[in-house]
Amino acid sequence: MSDKTILRALKGERLPVPPVWMMRQAGRYLPEYRATRAQAGDFLSLCYTPDLAAEVTLQPIRRYGFDAAILFADILLLPQALGAELWFVTGEGPRLSTITDAAGVAALKPVEAIHDTLSPVYETVRILARELPRETTLIGFAGAPWTVATYMIAGRGTPDQGPAHAFKAADRAAFAALIDRITEGTIAYLSAQIEAGAEVVKLFDSWAGSLKGADFDDFAVAPTRRIIAALKARHPGVPVIAFPREAGPRYAGFARATGADAVALDNSVSADWAAAEVQKDGCVQGNLDPRLMVTGGEALVAETRRIVAAFSKGPHIFNLGHGITPDADPDNVSRMIEAIRG
Ligand code: 1CP
């Protein structure tokens, strides 16, 4: 059995002190991240320069001693590797060329071509596998197909994923073909990350909550299940964390329906509900409101302890309900870790 606490929790072990890492732990709230990002020039250069991407991945490990490091990259690199144009507008966010019909889906590059673009990401993983402390787990990741599709269709982040829902309503077959292509690309991308040294992979379905009823089954559950089955066939024993953000009641049963080893929780569900309905199927992760990393104080300590207590009867990895924001106070991260490891 590995002595890495994250791997033990993912295999179902209840630990006296939950291991901890943070979504977006390498990010703009850290001065050392801002310095390396300035050195890289722009965000995509940072993602595609292995030495610098590895450096920012390591920064929060050095500063806080988190139990896991998450590869520094972005979910939008896969669409770019499939042929979409991608750029970042400072102060606004990502922009992509849009896919509006079946012809747009058909024009995407074949899955085998993705490695031409993504090979620097695999090099970052190789560097990290060498340089991380031996007790630190390396997590690779990708976006889940629905969330990635929302960006490929709209060309940007959207509050309600309206353009993706409209495409799905107008031409369900073409939409399903896009989901299939992203699913196959994701299997190839995550397999390559694992071959380079990722010990766990996570699927970010940030917009899963806007899929309702049968759409949730078809476009959140089914692609996730297909990706996990393919990864388990190629890389048995490599755990997968699924993050169907804002899934609400659909969090219950998600691990069983998809084969995920752990489910990451946003902060809209109650920890007590999730302990009863989600943790009964395996490891859970998340739930702390990221705003507490801005406001801090006694509320941060109390809420951290409340979440640790709520999940103390089963396998648990401490994390936030979503990414830490640029206005967070780095000292609040230390307070959270002290409250956990006390
Ligand atoms: O200028 C900067 O530094 C850009 C900010 C930033 C960062 C730090 C972006 C742009 N991406 C990232 C890194 C990133 N993105 C990681 C690295 C590892 C870590 O967690 O530390 C990860 C896992 C992601 C994943 C990601 N990118 C998601 C899924 C998780 C989530 O937050 O919901 C999504 C939706 C994206 C798209 C994206 N990339 C960046 C932005 C600002 C956005 C959101 C755009 C939008 O919806 O408007």
Side-chain angles (χ1 to χ4, degrees), residues 2 8 10 28 48 57 64 67 110 112 118 152 163 166 173 205 221 234 240 252 268 274 288 314 332:
S2 169
R8 287 166 60 188
L10 288 168
R28 279 173 292 178
Y48 286 124
T57 305
Y64 300 115
D67 295 287
E112 307 76 63
L118 297 170
M152 294 178 82
D205 213 348
V221 174
R234 294 187 198 182
V240 182
S268 73
L288 186 79
N332 285 333

Side-chain angles (χ1 to χ4, degrees), residues 23-26 28 33 37 43 70-75 88 94 141 151 157 204 206-207 322:
M23 277 189 267
R24 293 275 169 101
Q25 63 191 21
R28 279 173 292 178
Y33 171 87
R37 186 162 167 334
F43 176 69
I70 182 158
L71 163 69
F72 190 85
D74 195 82
I75 66 164
F88 280 79
F141 74 92
Y151 289 94
F204 286 88
S206 303
W207 303 117
H322 202 189

Side-chain angles (χ1 to χ4, degrees), residues 19 26 38 61 95 99 101 219 250 282:
I61 308 306
R95 296 288 183 276
I99 293 182
D101 55 18
F219 301 123
R250 302 295 312 259

